[in-house]
Amino acid sequence: MQHPYTRLPARSFWRTAVAEPDPLDITDLWTPKFTISQDDPVVTAGSCFAAHIGRALLEQGMHWYDAEPPPPGLTRAEQSARGYRQFSFRTGNIYSAAGLRQWVAWALGEERPPEEVWEHDGTFHDPYRPAVEPDGFASPDELLRSREVTLAAVRTALTRADVLVFTLGLTEAWHDEATDTVLPMCPGTVRGTFDPARHVLHQHTVARVHRDLTRTLDLVHRVNPRLRTVLTVSPVPLTATATGRHALVATTHSKSVLRAAAGQLADEDDRVDYFPSYEIVTGFPYRAAFYEPNLRAVTPRGVSFVMRHFFTALRGRPDPAHPAHPTTPVTGGEDHWCDDAVLDYYNPRPVPPAG
């Protein structure tokens, strides 16, 4: 008697798909819904892990679209410190779906961003891009002009792109109740001053994340109906949680919500796909092999392994630039790209015993 399980491929069974192969030889984790050709403009944004994707696209000779290139004369370190060439526009990290919806609504003229700026020691900082100018802006006008440049870059990128790759990072988001906006970081950490009367932590639900993603894509498709979207979830854990939960429990909750929302939207919309970077790094067959000793930053070897799956699936053949058994030295890390890494500064350290 026939039933659906008699016709399933080996990839559908845990033993043949996961338990028996060497973890580095597990294949077919992603079957792309649509092709991404060499010349298709690809826009990337999201949490710190997303910064790897644009660089990998460039290395593969694909068209990563940088809508806000750096001015001449900056070193690579200066470009990175000022938020250039990490994503397709200089928004800094966008950790939440709500943050993406906000930037898109501002860029497309659906909403107007507040003109509030943060002042510190005679320099000025953008509440919505607190880390893009480490030394601050010389005046509020300079800050707002710079933000308008970024909004124009977002608008241009989304209008011209064929593909958007967005990496979801967090569900914990600080909202400014006075302006009805979502902030990328809690005020008082990277910049600004915390005000408990107006700065409130929201824990976004699956329904909220799904709604924000849907509204974002609805806005973009009005100006670019051909845009296709690849959603991913960052494998980087929370640096800290303000929920009162254990950091491990809070991380599991946050990533589960994001994964569920991204998967639901991908199941519902033919123009949206989900790429499993989260599963590739965090799946227990890999036994945390792709993390630095801090169990947070993903090693270059791990990034290479993730991108090997990405390009192999797109091209239908192994990618020689990202081998199955990468030999890239396990050094470095990505915390310098993560605005929220600063939260570890506030971690109370144990006092060493006297003597």
Side-chain angles (χ1 to χ4, degrees), residues 43 68 94 188 224-225 230 232 239 246 265 276 278 280 290 305 333:
V43 169
E68 194 172 1
I94 303 176
N224 183 359
V230 178
T232 69
T239 302
H246 189 285
L265 187 56
Y278 177 75
I280 293 170
F290 298 131
F305 188 64

Side-chain angles (χ1 to χ4, degrees), residues 47-318:
S47 71
C48 43
F49 190 80
H52 296 296
I53 298 174
R55 185 174 61 184
L57 291 169
L58 284 176
E59 290 172 352
Q60 290 289 305
M62 298 185 72
H63 186 182
W64 177 63
Y65 190 82
D66 185 359
E68 194 172 1
L74 296 180
T75 66
R76 294 185 70 175
E78 289 170 337
Q79 292 175 13
S80 180
R82 295 176 63 184
Y84 289 105
R85 301 193 68 77
Q86 295 179 13
F87 311 104
S88 291
F89 21 75
R90 201 163 66 122
T91 56
N93 298 135
I94 303 176
Y95 290 109
S96 67
L100 178 65
R101 189 213 62 79
Q102 185 169 266
W103 276 108
V104 171
W106 290 346
L108 299 183
E110 294 292 322
E111 300 172 9
R112 283 296 304 167
E115 294 191 355
E116 178 184 4
V117 301
W118 291 341
E119 189 272 337
H120 179 72
D121 289 342
T123 61
F124 300 88
H125 302 271
D126 191 338
Y128 305 99
R129 303 183 303 158
V132 299
E133 284 290 341
D135 296 328
F137 293 91
S139 69
D141 285 345
E142 181 183 320
L143 183 156
L144 295 174
R145 285 196 300 271
S146 174
R147 187 195 290 168
E148 287 299 324
V149 170
T150 293
L151 290 172
V154 174
R155 183 164 56 251
T156 299
L158 295 178
T159 302
R160 297 183 180 179
D162 286 329
V163 179
L164 165 66
V165 180
F166 181 66
T167 301
L168 294 147
L170 300 173
T171 56
E172 293 184 27
W174 288 94
H175 288 237
D176 187 336
E177 301 291 300
T179 58
D180 193 25
T181 56
V182 60
L183 300 164
M185 291 291 298
C186 178
T189 55
V190 177
R191 302 290 178 190
T193 302
F194 180 69
D195 180 353
R198 64 182 291 188
H199 301 134
V200 179
L201 179 69
H202 287 226
Q203 178 71 284
H204 293 173
T205 63
V206 174
R208 170 69 193 265
V209 175
H210 181 275
R211 183 171 69 250
D212 283 325
L213 289 173
T214 301
R215 289 177 176 175
T216 299
L217 296 182
D218 285 345
L219 287 173
V220 177
H221 288 148
R222 294 179 194 174
V223 298
N224 183 359
R226 72 180 182 280
L227 184 80
R228 296 158 292 157
T229 301
V230 178
L231 298 173
T232 69
V233 173
S234 170
V236 179
L238 280 68
T239 302
T241 176
T243 62
R245 294 171 174 159
H246 189 285
L248 177 59
V249 176
T251 292
T252 302
H253 175 91
S254 183
K255 302 301 181 178
S256 299
V257 167
L258 297 174
R259 176 62 183 91
Q264 180 181 340
L265 187 56
D267 287 343
E268 295 169 347
D269 193 330
D270 290 339
R271 297 170 296 182
V272 179
D273 203 354
Y274 173 77
F275 173 67
S277 58
Y278 177 75
E279 290 88 337
I280 293 170
V281 174
T282 67
F284 56 80
Y286 305 108
R287 296 171 172 83
F290 298 131
Y291 283 106
E292 298 281 9
N294 65 6
L295 296 181
R296 184 176 185 277
V298 178
T299 65
R301 183 169 177 256
V303 174
S304 180
F305 188 64
V306 169
M307 298 314 299
R308 168 229 170 183
H309 281 276
F310 186 85
F311 291 115
T312 296
L314 279 181
R315 294 167 176 167
R317 63 181 188 276

